[in-house]
């Protein structure tokens, strides 16, 4: 989800405005995917939470693969402030560009949640009442985010970036099941999911501790990459 991963040489990037549009559009599609498939699962399988999670996870895994392919060649398909910050820390993205990515990602994810609500004939905004911030959930977010960062940057630093769309989709789909939090692993999607009181929603009070846990997970992932791949480089 860096430019190298998306097929661009690290020093050759599209104009920033085009990259920001790609990040916003990717975030919008990601949130619409997660929230919309959650609403569909609720409607198609009422009262069957396990089946709803299967449907939501499968749609997210497949859709994320497609979204990364769609916008990756433009922006690198970060779609996630933690990924952007770690990429900047490794020198793959200027910090000034990284700062511009973050609001585009957040706006896109919020817009995608609103779009999903409207597509299923709900109110544009319905604040979630699904409280998730237990100690177990926060630990799960650290693990999910650290694993995501380790996956992405282990691929980019070992010249296997072309495998990232499938690998990231598979990881997130699996992490729906092996983490108690269902693997948000993304501050921008956490903000967006706050705006839908549906299967995939998260209560506003749970968002700040989730974001803190995701940042901690990003730091853990960054350190693991540095330890495991100390001599690797992302083409630099």
């Amino acid at each position: 989800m860096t430019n190298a991963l998306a097929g661009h040489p690290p020093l050759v990037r599209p104009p920033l405005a085009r990259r920001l549009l790609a990040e916003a559009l990717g975030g919008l599609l990601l949130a619409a995917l997660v929230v919309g498939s959650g609403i569909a699962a609720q409607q198609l399988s009422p009262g069957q939470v396990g089946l709803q999670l299967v449907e939501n996870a499968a749609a997210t895994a497949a859709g994320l693969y497609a979204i990364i392919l769609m916008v990756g060649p433009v922006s690198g398909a970060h779609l996630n402030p933690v990924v952007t910050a770690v990429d900047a820390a490794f020198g793959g993205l200027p910090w000034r560009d990284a700062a511009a990515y973050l609001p585009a990602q957040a706006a896109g994810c919020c817009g995608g949640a609103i779009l999903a609500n409207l597509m299923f004939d709900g109110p544009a905004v319905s604040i979630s009442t699904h409280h998730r911030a237990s100690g177990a959930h926060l630990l799960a977010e650290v693990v999910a985010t650290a694993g995501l960062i380790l996956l992405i940057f282990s691929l980019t630093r070992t010249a296997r970036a072309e495998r990232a769309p499938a690998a990231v989709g598979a990881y997130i789909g699996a992490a729906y099941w092996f983490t108690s939090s269902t693997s948000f692993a993304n501050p921008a999607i956490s903000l967006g999911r706050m705006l839908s009181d549906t299967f995939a929603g998260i209560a506003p009070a749970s968002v700040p501790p989730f974001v803190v846990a995701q940042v901690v997970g990003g730091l853990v992932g960054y350190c693991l990459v540095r330890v495991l791949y100390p001599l690797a480089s992302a083409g630099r």
Side-chain angles (χ1 to χ4, degrees), residues 6 22 25-26 29 63-77 79 165:
L25 177 61
L29 292 172
L64 183 56
Y65 175 44
I67 292 169
I68 294 171
L69 291 176
M70 188 186 306
V71 302
V74 181
S75 67
L79 314 179

Side-chain angles (χ1 to χ4, degrees), residues 96-194:
R96 179 167 24 177
D97 289 8
Y101 271 39
L102 305 191
Q105 293 160 349
C109 286
C110 289
I114 292 170
L115 178 61
N117 290 336
L118 293 173
M119 287 194 295
F120 285 89
D121 199 27
V125 174
S126 58
I127 301 300
S128 177
T129 56
H130 191 170
H131 291 276
R132 298 177 182 261
S134 69
H137 287 132
L138 298 181
L139 175 60
E141 280 301 289
V142 173
V143 171
T145 309
L148 178 63
I149 294 301
L150 179 57
L151 172 63
I152 291 169
F153 290 94
S154 66
L155 293 174
T156 60
R157 290 166 75 87
T158 55
R160 296 177 294 158
E162 74 285 350
R163 302 183 185 182
V168 171
Y171 175 81
I172 292 298
Y176 264 72
W177 285 92
F178 79 76
T179 67
S180 60
S181 64
T182 67
S183 184
F184 284 46
N186 182 339
I189 199 70
S190 300
L191 288 174
R193 289 168 71 163
M194 177 178 71

